[in-house]
Amino acid sequence: MANIADDRKCLYTFLGKSGLRVSNMCLGGMTFGASPVHLPGQLDESQSHRIINRFVEWGGNFIDTANVYGYGNSEKIIGSWLAGQERDRFVIATKARLPMDMSNPNCMGLSRRHLIHSVEKSLERLQTHYIDLLQSHVWDDAVPLEETLRTMNDLVRCGKVRYLGTSNVTGWQLQKIVDLSAHMGLDQFVSLQQQYNLLCRTSELESFQVCKLNGIGVLPWGPLRGGFLTDKVKQDHLPEEGRLAKSIRDEQFGKKMYFSWSHLNQDSSWAIHQAAEKVAKARGKSVAQVSLRWLLQKSVVSSVIIGATKMHQLDDNMAAATGWQLTPEEMKELDEVSTPGDFYPYDFIPWLNGNRDNPWNPRGYV
């Protein structure tokens, strides 16, 4: 593999308004380790370690996983790698909320009991004394938010966790987290991990407005929409292997993975793909690189989470990190073709505020 020049390596950004510096590309660990739900393309320990090592060669210092990925297998693989590293050089993020044992009714959710248990087990698997970023994996209707926030704050105070974030929440849920944390005098959340890509922009309507106005950094997951936003996908030539191929053959699998083929195979999706492909050909880049670069140039984004099962995929994706930019015209073209439909009142309010720009009262628009 070719050596990577310093001017092509990752840039380092702040994670939201925190003082934590992370690489602008984050390596996702969902493909590490055997998966009980038989996801295609999963990597064993040695393959995963090679991917991580190459990511580090690109300047990456930010790795994201979750306890539920492979039911602990992903964390174990990252932990065995981390044990041989200088710990303070890396930022490790994990998540808790989803069920880890379906036979145990208390082995899920954002209760005090499950959160503390989850963190203790994650620390064991990751072979570390602390987690840099603990994220609630999704909102939990069953647990009072006060209980969740107080517990996560306690985990920071006792030194097991450094920073807090959340994932997969609506705008009102995120605003409630912000307001209640402030009211209770607790540590503020610094990140939101959310699906965000050229085909999925609805979080811009509310969740990202909360982020902009409160200094919360966005960590997009699914930036290539399950492989749709790549060169290997064309209307007359569909992939024969991988998760997207499986979603084409198995609609229920696609729905479970949030990129069902019936939803992707739409005129609007192909129009977005063609626009990205047009820009890619003009710039000598891949569709994936253009799609990732579009995200990186969004001011609300701190770091983009990528996953890779092959080294050439990782190298292609990482080449979007720095060294070039989409022009304002290219950003506008991609913005326009991928803008979600007009929804009231999200279309109505900006229209009536068109001449109300006040530099001392900045708007949160992405």
Side-chain angles (χ1 to χ4, degrees), residues 32-46:
F32 298 163
S35 169
V37 294
H38 307 296
L39 295 174
Q42 293 298 112
L43 305 178
D44 63 24
E45 184 175 66
S46 62

Side-chain angles (χ1 to χ4, degrees), residues 27 48-58 81 85:
L27 183 62
S48 301
H49 286 186
R50 285 196 291 272
I51 289 288
I52 299 172
N53 286 331
R54 183 60 171 173
F55 173 70
V56 173
E57 289 178 17
W58 276 98
W81 176 86
Q85 309 299 318

Side-chain angles (χ1 to χ4, degrees), residues 3 6 39 41 47 57 69 75 77 99-100 107 130 137 140 164 213 219 233 238 241 252 257 273 303 315 323:
N3 291 330
D6 288 343
L39 295 174
Q47 292 171 323
E57 289 178 17
Y69 295 169
E75 289 184 329
I77 286 174
M100 293 292 287
C107 202
Y130 65 93
H137 209 151
D140 187 352
L164 302 175
L213 295 172
L219 306 174
V233 178
L238 300 176
E241 60 179 15
Q252 291 307 309
M257 297 303 295
H273 191 283
S303 184
D315 284 343

Side-chain angles (χ1 to χ4, degrees), residues 119-137:
V119 167
E120 290 174 344
K121 298 301 290 186
S122 288
L123 289 170
E124 291 178 12
R125 290 189 288 261
L126 290 167
Q127 299 188 48
T128 183
H129 297 299
Y130 65 93
I131 294 164
D132 293 285
L133 176 65
L134 175 65
Q135 303 154 102
S136 53
H137 209 151

Side-chain angles (χ1 to χ4, degrees), residues 276-297:
E277 189 174 39
K278 175 186 171 184
V279 173
K281 287 180 177 179
R283 298 297 298 274
K285 304 294 182 182
S286 68
V287 171
Q289 288 169 350
V290 168
S291 301
L292 293 169
R293 192 67 231 171
W294 177 83
L295 285 169
L296 287 165
Q297 290 179 215

Side-chain angles (χ1 to χ4, degrees), residues 67 75 94-97 100 111-131 133-135 151-152 154-156 158-162 164:
N67 59 354
E75 289 184 329
T94 193
K95 298 180 281 294
R97 155 67 172 86
M100 293 292 287
S111 67
R112 176 174 291 272
R113 172 171 166 163
H114 182 56
L115 274 173
I116 293 174
H117 176 74
S118 294
V119 167
E120 290 174 344
K121 298 301 290 186
S122 288
L123 289 170
E124 291 178 12
R125 290 189 288 261
L126 290 167
Q127 299 188 48
T128 183
H129 297 299
Y130 65 93
I131 294 164
L133 176 65
L134 175 65
Q135 303 154 102
T151 303
M152 294 179 77
D154 287 346
L155 288 164
V156 173
C158 72
K160 294 182 179 181
V161 172
R162 297 292 188 260
L164 302 175

Side-chain angles (χ1 to χ4, degrees), residues 110-112 115 136 138-153 165-166 169 172-182 184 186 189:
L110 295 176
S111 67
R112 176 174 291 272
L115 274 173
S136 53
V138 68
W139 185 265
D140 187 352
D141 283 334
V143 179
L145 184 57
E146 292 87 346
E147 178 180 341
T148 299
L149 296 180
R150 181 72 73 186
T151 303
M152 294 179 77
N153 190 79
T166 190
V169 294
W172 73 263
Q173 290 167 347
L174 183 58
Q175 189 64 61
K176 189 168 183 179
I177 289 171
V178 169
D179 292 343
L180 192 54
S181 295
M184 296 173 66
L186 306 178
F189 282 32

